[in-house]
Amino acid sequence: METITIVLFLLLAVVVSGVLSRAIPVSLPRPLFQIALGGLIGLVADWRVTLDPEIFFLLFLPPLLFLDGWRIPRDELFRDARTVLGLALGLVIVTVLGMGFFIHWLIPAMPLAVAFALAAIVSPTDPIAVSAIAQRTPIPGRMMHILEGESLLNDASGLVCFRFSVAAALTGGFVLGDAALSFLWVALGGLAVGVGITWAVSRAKTWVARRYGEDGGTQILVSLLIPFGSYLVAEHLHCSGILAAVAAGVTMGFVETSGELAAATRIRRSTVWDMIQFAASGVIFVLLGEQLPLILRGAAETVYSSGHYQTWWLGIYIVAIMSGLVLMRFAWVWLSLKLTLARGAKAVAAPWRIVAAMSFAGVRGAITLAGVLTLPLTLGDGSPFPARDLAIFLAMGVIVASLLIASVALPPLLRGLRMPAEPSRMAEEDAARIAAAQAAIRAIAETEHQMPADHPDADLYMATGARLLDLYHDRIERRQGEPDDRASDRRAEKIERNLRLVALKAERAEVFRMVRKRMLGGATARRLIRELDLLEARYAG
């Protein structure tokens, strides 16, 4: 009962944080509210959450990494691949090496391997936190795509470096040649496991659905099990479960292009995954706050052992580490954008703002927290893991500091900011809509052609088909006209969407009124409301 109560309180704190982030007029990211609520729980509650590192890693990281890989916009990622790879791989390696030595120099009581582990775990960025910060100031689309791609890849690279650093701390040694071979096995094996399991499971469920029919609940449950299965199999083979989860997500994005899944199942599955992402990320930050008072006491003891006797040294450590991370990222982003994005771009206003915005947008979040909380409790000989509480506290401090800095710096930097021009997607969208309409016309014509002449509803089919064909032909004509005509048609479509939304809300209100007056049965009302909800989701999107 106590465990269930704790879980419910954590989820309640996530819900309250969402309400507070919308109710308070100041543009603060939701994770800050979640940390504050967690800290409040830690101060006033009699219970404490005891975190098992391996279980924590298994519960939270596979689904979050899987979803990042699944939803990443692949075309945009490939277009800016050099910039993304530079930030996700090059910057991570430089950060681990540079910040690892710097942290060890700054805090001699922290062993070098633990310092490398801390540097590795604070290297991944979190675009979800950036999106929360920029709710009132939109992030340019191209910048957000780069940040999402960077986050996806540096989650994997940072966590793999973190695992190697922890292994070095546990064994007390590090052989470069063995580490290189181990890295190849860990990385390539993890990628192969993620791709193989996702492809095999997708093929199997497609075969079952074709042969025996599709069950929406089963399809959704299978998608939830894939990241955990990939992670567990990879870890059992001593490969990277992290890379397996990422590879599984990316593969899922490719196999889903077959379009085999029913529309209703796809909609329900998307909603389930949105809820999981919201709950898992939120619980991680609430747990951060809940653990903070206890970790602060342990970290203070570690500071005493390093020769300092004032707890404010913790603040100095956080400021120093955060300053090093920001400066290193600023220099790397400037060099990366100079060599890639900004080259040949003429309509770029104030390039320094792009560099600054990209630098401050490197917010640390759920992956950093989930990773650092998996530091082992003891070494192989049973002695306490050195500087564990201090490393966790410093990682938490970096998360909070990066959120605060981004909350203050990003809104003015993003206001009116323009990235180097990217190709318009309007022509691509028009071509896709025309091709889809032509496919629909062919399908309707083929269906009518195959209908027997003596079919009792032949006249109705012909009349209905003619009406649908007129709609599709009208859609094609709108997309094939002159540019000025197409712009006018799009404005008309926007007006039509707005009027349809007004009408749908009126329909829904009337249906609910009839239910309250007992003029309409519950089953019929649910069916009508579902139809109206789907239509509104279509036009509101």
Side-chain angles (χ1 to χ4, degrees), residues 390-413:
L390 178 60
I392 293 175
F393 180 82
L394 293 177
M396 291 179 174
V398 168
I399 293 171
V400 175
S402 65
L403 287 168
L404 289 173
I405 292 173
S407 299
V408 174
L410 277 183
L413 286 172

Side-chain angles (χ1 to χ4, degrees), residues 65-321:
L65 293 173
F66 175 81
L67 190 60
D68 283 346
W70 189 358
R71 292 183 172 177
I72 190 73
R74 293 184 297 276
D75 292 339
E76 289 79 359
L77 179 63
F78 292 146
R79 185 185 61 238
D80 292 318
R82 287 200 300 173
T83 303
V84 171
L85 289 175
L87 291 169
L89 301 180
L91 180 56
V92 167
I93 294 174
V94 170
T95 299
V96 172
L97 294 176
M99 293 303 299
F101 284 112
F102 175 72
I103 292 171
H104 180 61
W105 171 82
L106 183 68
I107 313 172
M110 182 176 289
L112 184 59
V114 180
F116 279 133
L118 177 58
I121 207 59
V122 297
S123 60
T125 54
D126 186 0
I128 297 174
V130 178
S131 299
I133 292 170
Q135 285 176 350
R136 294 173 174 82
T137 307
I139 297 178
R142 191 172 188 181
M143 180 182 292
M144 197 63 202
H145 294 152
I146 293 173
L147 292 172
E148 288 173 342
E150 176 197 5
S151 173
L152 171 65
L153 297 179
N154 69 14
D155 285 350
S157 57
L159 287 169
V160 169
C161 292
F162 173 76
R163 283 294 182 90
F164 275 106
S165 300
V166 171
L170 291 173
T171 60
F174 185 82
V175 180
L176 184 59
D178 293 343
L181 292 175
S182 177
F183 178 81
L184 287 176
W185 169 253
V186 165
L188 297 179
L191 293 173
V193 167
V195 172
I197 287 181
T198 306
W199 182 84
V201 170
S202 299
R203 295 282 295 182
K205 68 184 182 68
T206 299
W207 181 84
V208 171
R210 287 176 178 174
R211 188 175 181 86
Y212 302 108
E214 178 181 305
D215 178 70
T218 301
Q219 295 281 352
I220 296 171
L221 185 57
V222 167
S223 74
L224 296 177
L225 292 175
I226 287 175
F228 295 103
S230 301
Y231 180 88
L232 289 172
V233 171
E235 290 293 320
H236 180 72
L237 297 175
H238 304 290
C239 302
S240 172
I242 298 155
L243 288 175
V246 172
V250 175
T251 306
M252 192 73 170
F254 281 102
V255 299
E256 286 291 297
T257 57
S258 63
E260 298 284 348
L261 208 61
T265 301
R266 191 177 295 109
I267 293 171
R268 291 163 56 195
R269 188 183 62 183
S270 178
T271 303
V272 170
W273 272 104
D274 287 341
M275 182 273 296
I276 289 175
Q277 183 182 48
F278 176 77
S281 300
V283 167
I284 288 174
F285 284 108
V286 174
L287 283 174
L288 183 158
E290 190 273 336
Q291 300 280 306
L292 206 54
L294 183 62
I295 290 174
L296 179 57
R297 288 194 292 270
E301 294 175 1
T302 307
V303 172
Y304 300 153
S305 67
S306 67
H308 300 294
Y309 301 97
Q310 296 83 16
T311 55
W312 48 261
W313 274 95
L314 294 172
I316 293 178
Y317 292 158
I318 292 172
V319 170
I321 294 172

